[in-house]
């Protein structure tokens, strides 16, 4: 396991993570042999079930299980039950979160690849002088679409190339607006609306966009917005992660396609075929 941790720490150094983040090895004995690794976005009972059924000795997750301080990991608590189950099964847990977001290549590179974006550069650069500060690194990516599309076409295309979720993809802006340059950011991205505007892109795709910030952004003339499910924008990175682990360490990898987005039902408003009668 120590070799796996070392390889992950080189590709996604914990020092690159935000101060509030909790990354690195969470559970596991460094001397335990690891032959198979499960790659997941979220550590939840269902993805743990998958990992154990696949015979994985280690889980590498994007989202921290223990992000905020806890006073107990008793088996009577939700997270405590997960911790107990992993320890009893002798399965390690490693987290790469904001340090994987800022990496080059990182989470948003995998998202950009789904759209075939070229000429990539970061949307949000690390703070000057910070450990992650270097050319190419940063949150989000900006690039050129292979073929310009209207916002309506791009929204349908996004729904087709991203992992399927009940949430799907929704967009804000003129449906006929032509999109040539696209910014993408895996996970919650409405903190980067101003930077998307400053970059002069035609559209920005991310997750967890909120009503008031989105409305004010558009009213101020900002780029069109596409809002996808949080899980769907980060799932593509798992393939890159798994490939790197296989190549660097000659281990087997299992990638979870289990949709852990909390939204499970979607219904579009019906459109009347005819004008209502007076």
């Amino acid at each position: 396991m120590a070799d796996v941790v070392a390889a992950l720490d080189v590709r996604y150094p914990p020092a690159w993570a935000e101060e509030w983040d909790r990354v690195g090895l969470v559970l596991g004995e460094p001397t335990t042999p690891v032959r198979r690794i499960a790659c997941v976005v979220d550590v939840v009972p269902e993805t743990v079930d998958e990992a154990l059924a696949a015979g994985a000795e280690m889980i590498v997750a994007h989202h921290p299980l223990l992000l905020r301080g806890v006073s107990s990991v008793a088996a009577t608590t939700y997270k405590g039950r997960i911790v107990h189950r992993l320890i009893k099964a002798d399965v390690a847990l490693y987290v790469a979160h904001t340090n994987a977001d800022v990496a080059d290549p990182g989470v948003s590179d995998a998202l950009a690849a789904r759209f075939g974006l070229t000429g990539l550069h970061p949307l949000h650069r690390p703070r000057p002088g910070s450990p992650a500060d270097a050319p190419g690194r940063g949150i989000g990516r900006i690039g050129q679409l292979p073929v310009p599309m209207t916002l309506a076409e791009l929204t349908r295309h996004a729904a087709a190339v991203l992992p399927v979720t009940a949430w799907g993809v929704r967009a804000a802006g003129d449906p006929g607006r032509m999109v040539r340059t696209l910014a993408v950011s895996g996970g919650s991205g409405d903190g980067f609306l101003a930077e998307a505007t400053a970059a002069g892109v035609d559209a920005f795709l991310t997750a967890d966009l909120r009503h008031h910030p989105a409305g004010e952004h558009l009213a101020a003339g900002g780029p069109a917005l596409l809002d996808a499910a949080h899980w769907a924008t980060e799932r593509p990175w798992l393939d890159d992660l798994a490939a790197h682990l296989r190549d660097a360490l000659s281990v087997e990898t299992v990638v979870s396609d289990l949709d852990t987005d909390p939204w499970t039902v979607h219904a579009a408003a019906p459109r009347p075929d005819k004008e209502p009668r007076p």
Side-chain angles (χ1 to χ4, degrees), residues 140-191:
R141 293 293 183 265
I142 295 170
Q144 196 89 10
L145 284 168
V147 178
M149 302 181 190
T150 66
L151 177 60
E153 291 169 338
L154 179 59
T155 304
R156 291 191 291 270
H157 181 64
V161 300
L162 291 177
V164 176
T165 60
W167 180 270
V169 181
R170 60 182 182 176
D174 178 1
R177 177 174 181 167
M178 291 303 301
V179 180
R180 295 174 176 83
T181 54
L182 177 66
V184 299
S185 184
S188 302
D190 68 2

Side-chain angles (χ1 to χ4, degrees), residues 266-271:
H266 172 85
R271 294 181 177 275

Side-chain angles (χ1 to χ4, degrees), residues 64-155:
L65 174 64
L66 303 174
L67 179 59
R68 296 174 178 83
V70 297
S71 59
S72 170
V73 288
T76 53
T77 65
Y78 172 75
K79 292 187 176 182
R81 285 191 292 274
I82 294 174
V83 169
H84 277 253
R85 190 165 185 213
L86 291 174
I87 291 175
K88 287 180 178 179
D90 201 18
V91 173
L93 172 61
Y94 183 99
V95 170
H97 190 210
T98 53
N99 48 332
D101 289 332
V102 78
D104 177 24
V107 172
S108 290
D109 291 285
L111 178 57
R114 292 289 178 112
F115 294 88
L117 299 185
T118 57
L120 296 181
H121 55 280
L123 171 64
H124 172 77
R125 290 293 309 277
R127 175 177 50 82
S130 68
D133 183 23
R137 294 187 199 138
I139 303 292
R141 293 293 183 265
I142 295 170
Q144 196 89 10
L145 284 168
V147 178
M149 302 181 190
T150 66
L151 177 60
E153 291 169 338
L154 179 59
T155 304

Side-chain angles (χ1 to χ4, degrees), residues 9 114 126 145 151 166 203-204 216 240:
D9 283 353
R114 292 289 178 112
L145 284 168
L151 177 60
F204 176 35
E216 292 169 9
D240 289 0

Side-chain angles (χ1 to χ4, degrees), residues 43-55:
V43 185
V44 294
E46 293 81 3
T47 55
V48 171
D49 286 343
E50 280 189 331
L52 297 186

